[in-house]
Amino acid sequence: MTAADLVALAPLAALAAGILVLLLAIAARRNARLAWAVTGATVVAALAMVVPAAEVAPRAVTPLLRVDGLGLLGVVLFLLGSLATVPLAARHLASRPGPVEEFPLLLLLA
């Protein structure tokens, strides 16, 4: 795997790293505001990684994984949808009793 392959996978790597940080944050301290902050930061970081990935696209990272413009467009659309969902869901779930930290995690995993 070359450096260009790693750059092409950067949006997915940022998303995976954010999921791990969120899992650790939820395990250490159940705090809804922290969970939403980590989720928002993860989505923004993944969006920022799309720009360098687009510079090396199209690229066949493995025989089963190809990063190209259309795939990156799909990633951007899903990330923008997630970014729009974060404040709406945070406000909606703030009025609900009980823990809601699982929802930001499910949002990132989806």
Side-chain angles (χ1 to χ4, degrees):
M1 186 170 279
T2 66
D5 292 341
L6 294 176
V7 171
L9 291 176
L12 298 176
L15 196 58
I19 289 169
L20 289 175
V21 168
L22 183 57
L23 278 170
L24 292 172
I26 291 172
R29 184 172 147 197
R30 292 190 67 99
N31 185 345
R33 293 183 76 161
L34 177 64
W36 287 115
V38 170
T39 301
T42 299
V43 172
V44 169
L47 274 171
M49 293 294 122
V50 169
V51 175
E55 293 175 0
V56 297
R59 183 146 200 94
V61 178
T62 68
L64 296 176
L65 179 63
R66 181 173 176 85
V67 176
D68 58 1
L70 186 60
L72 289 174
L73 176 65
V75 168
V76 167
L77 291 176
F78 277 106
L79 289 173
L80 288 176
S82 297
L83 192 60
T85 303
V86 167
L88 297 172
R91 188 177 63 207
H92 174 71
L93 292 174
S95 62
R96 301 219 176 228
V100 295
E101 293 84 11
E102 292 83 7
F103 187 82
L105 181 63
L106 288 173
L107 183 65
L108 288 180
L109 288 170

